Amino acid sequence: MTPDDLEALTLCIASPTRLITQPQTVQRLSRDFYWYSPVLKKLLDDKLAEAVVQPISTGEVVAVLRTCYRRRIPVTARGAGTGNYGQAIPLEGGIVLDLAAMDTIHEITPDGIAIAGPGVRLGVLETTAREAGWELRCYPSTIAKASLGGFLGGGSGGIGSVAHGGLRDFQTVRAIEVVTMEAEPRIVLHEGEAVHDVLHAWGTNGIMTKIWLALVPAEAWAQCVVAFDTFDQAFHFSEKIATGDDWTKRLVTAFEWPIPAAFTPIAACMREGKAVVFFMIASAQLDILTAAALDAGGEVTLAAPYTGIRTQPLLSDYTWNHTTLWFMKYDPAFTYLQCGFSPGEARSQFARLKARFAGDFLLHLEFMKNGAGIVIPGSIPVVRFTTEERLNEMIDFCRSIGVSVANPHSNNVEGGGRYREDNVQLLTKYRYDPLGLLNPGKMATFNPAEVPSST
Ligand SMILES: Cc1cc2nc3c(=O)[nH]c(=O)nc-3n(C[C@H](O)[C@H](O)[C@H](O)COP(=O)(O)OP(=O)(O)OC[C@H]3O[C@@H](n4cnc5c(N)ncnc54)[C@H](O)[C@@H]3O)c2cc1C
């Protein structure tokens, strides 16, 4: 980028202080949690933007994109930078478009729709929704930091998914306002099925500037930890609660030992050598859950109320991809995969994985409802990393026994597991970003030579 480019960008925003070129800040805002993956770490360590622009309105986003289009400047959107596939890391320089300041909650409607800017932190949205009698259907374990736009752009689900599915399911995302990357950027509203054009597209085919998200009535929750002698017992009990229609739950997570050894701040709730299950369960069901756990041969090591995201301990801080973080601190030789087991065959799939990889493949299950309404044992196993070949061998073996894998060691939308088979994200990129300036390199199948001539 030239000094002239920077000057032109300054004219797009009301305050020049929101155009940042200070190297340390540019470096910090060019990074996410890509280092979770030893494969991506090697690939992305030296990738940087040349400047950061922080718009505060849709009008400023339009002005910035118009200027970047005319000057052929790549633009990488950023929420809070908690993505863990290098999604928000610019591969070809240009600017990072930091949307954190577009954090207005416009409304929580009486019928439970949150209307908000992309920069709003999910924790703030959850707290605000609960004050109005609603709560998020699902959220990542990074709720305190992560932004709504980043969740839609790069996330998939999390706490709450056991009851409400992932972000893309059951019309949780009702509508998205998107700004296109064209000579004259358009502001386009995607409603209903059309939200899938831009959902989980990593900011490659438009910049989200306003989001309509469906909520559910708020529930009084409790947290519970149960320890079992064997992983098989833990699986049996967690599956029963996760799939039982009578249980009102927000989180059902099972870990094999030694994963719980990594949870040092809550070591008092862990038992040496034992598997554990974490629950968020309706308060009114806590007593019957603990009774059922004892019946199943478990030891209840925590049964406590949940009072919001500041609750201590907060069990969700150890679940979903936070488990990986804790275990990598405990043993830096490990990384992770993202898998889906088949409900009826999960036990034999676990056995085959353990027989093949033993302690190099540690089971961490997150139960979640799929789009067909079936609760399945999803999984974010922590796996020992030696070489890329060995990691790929694990992925291939999983797939060969019917365990699906969304590969978190891939740096493009297609490789990461949420790419739509109907190609709507790619087709939208051809329409909204014909020059390929939005997060270039992340939509691997995009080929500028194939842009339809009508665009
Ligand atoms: C410890 C840990 C735990 C995690 N747990 C989960 C989990 O439980 N579930 C889960 O789904 N994910 C999880 N993640 C991944 C990540 O935290 C979430 O997906 C989170 O919602 C991303 O939000 P963010 O604001 O940090 O997004 P960012 O990392 O800033 O961005 C993510 C992607 O969205 C794009 N983007 C951001 N804003 C916009 C916008 N306005 N318009 C268009 N594109 C945009 C970016 O370009 C990028 O490609 C975890 C990550 C870590 C490190």
Side-chain angles (χ1 to χ4, degrees):
M1 280 167 65
T2 63
D4 199 40
D5 289 335
L6 293 173
E7 181 62 32
L9 283 167
T10 313
L11 299 176
C12 302
I13 45 178
S15 163
T17 57
R18 291 189 276 105
L19 172 75
I20 300 167
T21 51
Q22 201 271 338
Q24 282 88 346
T25 310
V26 172
Q27 183 180 47
R28 182 171 59 78
L29 294 174
S30 298
R31 293 273 180 265
D32 63 10
F33 281 72
Y34 72 106
W35 52 264
Y36 255 44
S37 159
V39 179
L40 295 184
K41 182 161 174 22
K42 209 166 60 183
L43 208 67
L44 302 177
D45 255 347
D46 62 344
K47 300 289 186 275
L48 277 183
E50 292 152 272
V52 176
V53 180
Q54 300 175 313
I56 56 168
S57 66
T58 303
E60 286 191 349
V61 171
V62 169
V64 171
L65 295 194
R66 185 190 293 119
T67 297
C68 288
Y69 183 94
R70 288 181 185 166
R71 293 170 176 266
R72 309 298 194 249
I73 300 170
V75 176
T76 303
R78 177 186 177 90
T82 68
N84 43 296
Y85 319 140
Q87 292 157 317
I89 297 187
L91 298 183
E92 296 181 14
I95 64 161
V96 160
L97 191 68
D98 176 2
L99 295 142
M102 288 181 63
D103 61 352
T104 306
I105 299 177
H106 300 282
E107 191 182 353
I108 306 287
T109 68
D111 57 341
I113 308 290
I115 307 170
V120 67
R121 287 180 185 232
L122 292 168
V124 173
L125 191 56
E126 162 82 355
T127 305
T128 308
R130 284 184 75 83
E131 284 163 7
W134 301 92
E135 65 185 24
L136 297 177
R137 289 183 177 188
C138 67
Y139 57 85
S141 56
T142 45
I143 180 169
K145 250 180 115 181
S147 72
L148 177 59
F151 190 34
L152 265 62
S156 53
I159 295 97
S161 289
V162 64
H164 305 293
L167 196 49
R168 63 185 168 167
D169 300 319
F170 310 120
Q171 300 176 319
T172 292
V173 180
R174 290 293 160 88
I176 307 172
E177 179 189 272
V178 194
V179 179
T180 66
M181 181 55 141
E182 298 171 282
E184 198 42 65
R186 290 171 288 147
I187 302 170
V188 188
L189 185 65
H190 283 243
E191 293 178 278
E193 271 302 290
V195 300
H196 297 289
D197 297 352
V198 276
L199 256 188
H200 205 84
W202 298 21
T204 59
N205 63 12
I207 302 297
M208 294 179 253
T209 43
K210 200 170 178 183
I211 292 152
W212 286 254
L213 188 75
L215 307 167
V216 280
E219 179 71 49
W221 296 107
Q223 308 186 105
C224 182
V225 178
V226 188
F228 289 95
D229 287 341
T230 66
F231 184 73
D232 191 54
Q233 280 176 300
F235 175 63
H236 182 76
F237 187 66
S238 55
E239 187 184 43
K240 189 172 131 188
I241 307 302
T243 57
D245 289 338
D246 295 340
W247 295 100
T248 303
K249 60 256 160 179
R250 210 178 191 190
L251 181 71
V252 181
T253 309
F255 306 102
E256 79 165 307
W257 184 266
I259 296 176
F263 303 155
T264 44
I266 52 167
C269 306
M270 305 300 127
R271 294 292 178 267
E272 180 73 25
K274 294 197 179 190
V276 290
V277 185
F278 286 7
F279 296 101
M280 269 181 91
I281 193 94
S283 295
Q285 295 182 328
L286 183 61
D287 288 346
I288 49 168
L289 179 74
T290 55
L294 294 176
D295 269 359
E299 179 194 356
V300 177
T301 61
L302 178 83
Y306 165 85
T307 52
I309 64 163
R310 292 188 193 282
T311 308
Q312 285 302 324
L314 184 67
L315 289 187
S316 63
D317 275 354
Y318 302 86
T319 64
W320 289 85
N321 240 321
H322 267 79
T323 307
T324 316
L325 192 61
W326 285 106
F327 205 76
M328 284 174 70
K329 268 191 207 165
Y330 176 79
D331 188 340
F334 276 74
T335 182
Y336 72 122
L337 289 177
Q338 300 183 144
C339 301
F341 290 91
S342 320
E345 292 164 49
R347 268 199 189 75
S348 72
Q349 290 169 330
F350 299 156
R352 292 178 74 178
L353 281 162
K354 297 309 288 185
R356 175 81 176 250
F357 301 114
D360 287 355
F361 195 109
L362 300 175
L363 293 166
H364 156 207
L365 304 185
E366 295 290 352
F367 285 89
M368 57 188 301
K369 192 174 270 181
N370 66 18
I374 299 164
V375 175
I376 62 154
S379 177
I380 311 180
V382 285
V383 302
R384 185 181 296 282
F385 181 77
T386 46
T387 61
E388 215 171 318
E389 289 69 35
R390 169 78 167 167
L391 192 63
N392 288 333
E393 184 195 328
M394 286 177 173
I395 294 172
D396 291 344
F397 184 73
C398 283
R399 289 177 175 154
S400 75
I401 61 167
V403 175
S404 64
V405 180
N407 185 359
H409 304 281
S410 161
N411 189 230
N412 54 62
V413 184
E414 293 88 336
R418 290 279 181 270
Y419 182 72
R420 302 249 317 186
E421 279 175 15
D422 57 8
N423 287 328
V424 287
Q425 294 132 313
L426 175 65
L427 295 173
T428 305
K429 186 165 177 75
Y430 282 121
R431 282 188 288 140
Y432 290 179
D433 179 29
L435 296 184
L437 290 167
L438 291 177
N439 211 351
K442 304 287 176 61
M443 183 81 85
T445 46
F446 173 76
N447 177 357
E450 287 177 18
V451 174
S453 53
S454 59
T455 56

